[in-house]
């Protein structure tokens, strides 16, 4: 039996089936084309670095890239700007598509408070360690007449007495009032040469002294750069005798060539006001 192909293709049922199949194919392609367009198929963008920004700044920047921001947590991170972004997910540099959400963790808008420990009748070194452990800095030391030498008598902040157990912002600076005995003794100035400001401050307190004026030969742009500077000169000079609690003026630099100049060392065998250099001291 011979099949007439022409009759099959002009058959209305066949035409309906073919038309339906073509319609399904067209709809299928249209849907997936729309989905690709909606999800930006193949179009990914690097996530910007939002650290240090406020949430408003981050939202504005992300909106320009068709991204969204959502704050999911708030923590306190010492040294970071209050209210600034400290973490983000996805991370900076990750590739994502437009329309996605960046989840943010921000630094608390208020500084955490810590409890002032009881440092009375502790040695200066112990008191500093106790205060440092809870996030309180010792800004200066004042020596007062007391039979208990080198023991802390009381603590002040901004010239106001601090009670034991008081709550103050973490990172606050305080002044320790320390006994110097019943006599007004003198102490010897150590050499602060080549020390960073932090190490010089620690040495000064250990030597019953304070750091006074700090002069930079070039003003550092931020705290990180400031930490790179070292002492190249000091007043009073090394080995001078001063009252306990005296302030030492420091000159700071990043230029190590300034350290090639011999250090001044106090010399009073013949003339108490005479100063001599390291080189002269060697041939003393």
């Amino acid at each position: 039996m011979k099949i007439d192909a022409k009759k099959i293709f002009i058959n209305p049922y066949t035409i309906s089936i073919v038309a339906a199949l073509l319609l399904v194919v067209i709809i299928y392609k249209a849907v997936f084309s729309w989905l690709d367009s909606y999800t930006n198929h193949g179009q990914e963008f690097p996530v910007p670095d939002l650290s240090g920004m406020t949430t408003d700044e981050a939202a504005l920047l992300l909106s320009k890239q068709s991204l969204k921001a959502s704050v999911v947590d708030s923590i306190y991170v010492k040294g970071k700007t209050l209210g600034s972004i400290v973490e983000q997910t996805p991370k900076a540099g990750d590739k994502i598509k437009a329309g996605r959400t960046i989840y943010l963790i921000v630094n608390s808008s208020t500084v955490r408070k810590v409890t002032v420990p009881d440092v009375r009748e502790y040695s200066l070194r112990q008191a500093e360690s106790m205060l440092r452990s809870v996030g309180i800095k010792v800004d200066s030391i004042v020596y007062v007449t007391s039979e208990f030498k080198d023991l802390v008598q009381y603590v002040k902040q901004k010239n106001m007495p601090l009670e034991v157990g008081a709550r103050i912002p973490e990172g606050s600076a305080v002044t320790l009032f320390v006994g110097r005995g019943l006599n007004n003794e003198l102490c010897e100035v150590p050499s602060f040469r080549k020390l960073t400001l932090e190490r010089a401050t620690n040495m000064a307190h250990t030597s019953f002294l304070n750091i006074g004026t700090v002069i930079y030969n070039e003003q550092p742009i931020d705290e990180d750069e400031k930490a790179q500077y070292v002492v190249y000169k000091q007043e009073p000079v090394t080995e001078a005798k001063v009252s306990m609690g005296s302030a030492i003026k420091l000159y700071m630099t990043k230029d190590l060539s300034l350290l090639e100049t011999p250090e001044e060392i106090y010399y009073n065998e013949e003339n108490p006001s005479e100063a001599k250099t390291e080189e002269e001291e060697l041939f003393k």
Side-chain angles (χ1 to χ4, degrees):
M1 181 178 175
K2 187 177 180 180
I3 299 175
D4 189 342
K6 185 176 181 181
K7 288 183 177 181
I8 292 176
F9 284 106
I10 62 173
N11 187 294
Y13 293 106
T14 302
I15 293 173
S16 297
I17 292 171
V18 172
L21 290 173
L22 286 174
L23 182 60
V24 168
V25 171
I26 291 171
I27 292 174
Y28 177 85
K29 288 187 174 182
V31 168
F32 274 86
S33 176
W34 175 80
L35 285 174
D36 281 350
S37 174
Y38 180 76
T39 60
N40 294 291
H41 181 68
Q43 298 181 34
E44 294 185 328
F45 308 92
V47 178
D49 185 0
L50 307 175
S51 59
M53 295 185 182
T54 65
T55 52
D56 288 341
E57 291 171 337
L60 179 61
L61 176 62
L62 293 175
S63 67
K64 295 178 181 179
Q65 300 184 28
S66 300
L67 300 173
K68 302 174 184 177
S70 176
V71 177
V72 295
D73 198 4
S74 175
I75 60 176
Y76 176 70
V77 181
K78 183 180 177 181
K80 298 290 186 181
T81 304
L82 300 181
S84 65
I85 295 168
V86 293
E87 291 185 32
Q88 64 181 78
T89 304
K91 296 180 179 179
D94 287 354
K95 297 292 185 66
I96 61 172
K97 297 176 182 179
R100 299 297 176 85
T101 300
I102 310 299
Y103 299 97
L104 308 174
I105 297 178
V106 300
N107 198 21
S108 173
S109 58
T110 57
V111 179
R112 184 175 65 183
K113 291 192 173 183
V114 296
T115 302
V116 178
D118 187 358
V119 296
R120 294 171 300 179
E121 305 306 322
Y122 281 89
S123 71
L124 173 60
R125 182 172 296 183
Q126 289 175 305
E128 282 196 290
S129 179
M130 292 169 64
L131 291 167
R132 193 183 304 116
S133 69
V134 298
I136 299 174
K137 298 184 295 184
V138 176
D139 182 53
S140 58
I141 303 166
V142 175
Y143 287 90
V144 295
T145 302
S146 169
E147 60 178 315
F148 305 107
K149 184 178 179 181
D150 194 33
L151 295 185
V152 175
Q153 303 302 298
Y154 48 94
V155 184
K156 286 187 176 183
Q157 183 187 35
K158 297 180 180 177
N159 211 32
M160 295 293 293
L162 271 179
E163 297 293 333
V164 175
R167 302 276 293 174
I168 63 175
E170 183 177 6
S172 297
V174 300
T175 299
L176 295 183
F177 288 76
V178 182
R180 68 180 178 200
L182 299 177
N183 299 317
N184 190 15
E185 297 182 18
L186 299 179
C187 57
E188 186 175 281
V189 177
S191 172
F192 297 100
R193 198 171 172 87
K194 300 181 183 179
L195 298 184
T196 62
L197 181 57
E198 181 179 3
R199 291 183 60 195
T201 301
N202 291 336
M203 177 177 282
H205 291 175
T206 301
S207 303
F208 312 109
L209 299 168
N210 288 302
I211 298 300
T213 305
V214 179
I215 300 174
Y216 296 87
N217 67 329
E218 291 184 4
Q219 192 61 33
I221 59 175
D222 54 29
E223 292 300 317
D224 289 337
E225 185 178 12
K226 186 180 290 186
Q228 300 173 28
Y229 281 67
V230 296
V231 178
Y232 71 94
K233 183 181 177 182
Q234 66 185 67
E235 297 175 4
V237 298
T238 300
E239 296 186 12
K241 296 291 195 296
V242 297
S243 298
M244 297 173 69
S246 295
I248 308 298
K249 180 186 290 187
L250 299 181
Y251 296 82
M252 314 291 294
T253 186
K254 286 199 307 180
D255 183 1
L256 299 184
S257 67
L258 292 177
L259 295 172
E260 296 174 5
T261 303
E263 180 182 9
E264 287 185 299
I265 300 176
Y266 190 74
Y267 178 63
N268 65 352
E269 281 189 7
E270 296 180 359
N271 185 348
S273 63
E274 181 183 353
K276 64 190 304 183
T277 66
E278 286 177 318
E279 184 177 352
E280 292 170 330
E281 181 72 10
L282 291 174
F283 296 97
K284 177 178 173 182

